[in-house]
Amino acid sequence: MALLRLDSFPDIRLSDTIPIGSVEGRLPVKLSVSTTDPETKRLVFLDHEIAATWGVDPKTIEVRAVVDGEETILPVQWWRVEVQVASDRPEIKKGMELVIARQLAACWTASAPFKKADKKGRGERPAPSDGLFSDSESAIERLESLSYDFWEKNDDYLTAGISIPPDPFSEKRRNYSRGAWYLGVCENMRASTAALWTDSHVLNLLEMAQKKQLRFWPSSFKIDDRYCEYHPRLRDEVDSLMVLAIRQSLAGPMKDTEEFLGKPVATLVERYFKDTMYNFNRCYWDGD
C-alpha cells in the first residue's frame, strides 16, 4: 500500500539541486497499477504491486520575471514530490502517469507522466531563466512540460515529479492541507478517466444516485437518521463527485490493497463514490 505522510521536509538547499536518491527521508513504496484488460476492455488493477521510491526534493531556480512593471531576476523555491521506478520494469513505461490523491475529504488529485532522465550536461540544458514569466508557477510549469525529467540523470529509473509551489502546508489552499497521500499508476489519466466514465458499473451507480436509489451510508455503525436521506443539494453534486471518485481510484486504494488487486478499477470507484457521497451529505445536513 502506497500511503505517504509528508509531515517533515529537508532544509531548502540554496546551492545546487540534488537528485532524489540523496534526499533525506527517501522511502520505498509500492504502486498499484491500472491497465486495460485485453478481453473485457475494462480497466483493472494488476494482480501485484510495483516497487518504487519517493522523495521530496527542494528545488531552486532563477527566472526572469516582471515585478511592478520592471524586469528582474527572481529566485523561485518550491518542493517537488518525486517517484521513481526501475526503467526495466515492463509494467511501467515512459509516458504512463503517476496519480497522487489525498484522503477523500480533501477532494484533491494530481498527476504527472513518468519521464526518462536528462543525460545532457548542465551547460547543455535549457536555462530555466530562458523566457519571461509572469509568475513563478509559469516557470515551474515550463520545466515540468519538458519531454524528459530536468532534474535526473540516472538512466536506470523513470521519474514522475509533481511540483507543489510554494508551501505544501498552506492553510489558505484546501489542496495543500495536512494528511496522508496515496498513489498509483495509470496508462493515461485522460483516457483512463474517460474509460471509467463509460464503464457499465459506474453508469449504473450514477443512475441509481440520480434516482436517489443508491445506498451510500454505512451500515456497520449507528448514524443519525437524516444522514440516510438525500439532502436536496446532493443531487446537483452527483456528477462532480463521480469524476472525483474516478480520479481518486486511479491513485489506488488507501487500504485493503490486496482486496482490489486483479479486480476492475470500477470496484474501487464504487467505494470512493459512496464514501464521498456520505461525507458531502452529512456536511449538508449539518449545515457546513
Side-chain angles (χ1 to χ4, degrees):
M1 177 176 64
L3 189 63
L4 316 181
R5 285 199 174 275
L6 305 182
D7 293 331
S8 62
F9 291 84
D11 292 334
I12 290 182
R13 294 162 174 81
L14 297 179
S15 56
D16 198 8
T17 57
I18 53 179
I20 187 174
S22 59
V23 175
E24 181 182 355
R26 183 186 184 206
L27 296 172
V29 292
K30 290 186 177 181
L31 308 177
S32 55
V33 182
S34 58
T35 185
T36 303
D37 186 296
E39 295 184 3
T40 64
K41 307 301 180 184
R42 299 182 71 188
L43 276 182
V44 297
F45 288 113
L46 292 182
D47 59 4
H48 61 285
E49 294 177 303
I50 306 301
T53 58
W54 74 279
V56 182
D57 192 348
K59 302 296 186 185
T60 301
I61 60 174
E62 290 186 343
V63 300
R64 288 194 299 130
V66 175
V67 178
D68 296 329
E70 295 186 4
E71 185 176 325
T72 184
I73 299 297
L74 184 68
V76 180
Q77 300 174 350
W78 75 98
W79 300 105
R80 188 178 192 240
V81 179
E82 298 177 335
V83 175
Q84 287 186 324
V85 296
S87 57
D88 60 357
R89 291 302 301 250
E91 302 93 337
I92 302 180
K93 297 179 174 60
K94 176 184 175 182
M96 294 181 70
E97 292 191 59
L98 170 75
V99 185
I100 293 183
R102 293 296 319 282
Q103 292 176 327
L104 297 187
C107 302
W108 183 90
T109 61
S111 61
F114 280 93
K115 299 178 181 180
K116 290 185 176 180
D118 172 26
K119 295 184 290 185
K120 297 181 180 179
R122 186 168 296 277
E124 299 177 282
R125 304 189 223 178
S129 57
D130 287 351
L132 189 62
F133 300 96
S134 59
D135 53 47
S136 60
E137 293 193 13
S138 298
I140 295 169
E141 287 175 3
R142 178 179 183 274
L143 288 181
E144 295 294 11
S145 69
L146 296 174
S147 60
Y148 55 88
D149 189 88
F150 181 82
W151 308 102
E152 294 298 330
K153 292 184 178 180
N154 193 336
D155 237 6
D156 294 334
Y157 298 96
L158 292 173
T159 304
I162 297 180
S163 293
I164 311 175
D167 179 6
F169 287 163
S170 170
E171 297 299 329
K172 297 179 181 179
R173 299 181 67 173
R174 179 184 60 188
N175 290 1
Y176 300 155
S177 58
R178 294 178 182 269
W181 298 9
Y182 54 107
L183 52 86
V185 179
C186 69
E187 295 166 339
N188 177 280
M189 186 66 166
R190 179 176 295 181
S192 296
T193 300
L196 286 170
W197 188 255
T198 58
D199 186 282
S200 59
H201 186 66
V202 171
L203 291 175
N204 183 57
L205 289 171
L206 270 175
E207 182 179 5
M208 292 179 66
Q210 290 164 348
K211 293 180 178 179
K212 299 184 180 181
Q213 297 174 349
L214 182 69
R215 180 191 173 109
F216 54 79
W217 50 91
S219 56
S220 57
F221 55 90
K222 184 174 178 56
I223 60 175
D224 192 313
D225 288 343
R226 62 180 177 166
Y227 297 157
C228 301
E229 299 179 14
Y230 280 70
H231 189 280
R233 294 174 58 189
L234 186 63
R235 186 173 179 180
D236 294 335
E237 300 283 357
V238 168
D239 285 357
S240 61
L241 294 183
M242 179 57 78
V243 171
L244 176 62
I246 286 173
R247 291 178 63 87
Q248 289 177 323
S249 70
L250 293 170
M254 290 185 291
K255 56 183 180 180
D256 304 326
T257 303
E258 294 184 359
E259 176 185 343
F260 294 95
L261 294 181
K263 293 186 178 180
V265 179
T267 305
L268 185 58
V269 173
E270 177 177 356
R271 173 176 292 188
Y272 286 172
F273 182 57
K274 288 181 177 179
D275 286 351
T276 306
M277 288 269 288
Y278 174 69
N279 288 338
F280 268 68
N281 196 53
R282 186 176 64 178
C283 286
Y284 286 147
W285 283 118
D286 287 344
D288 186 1

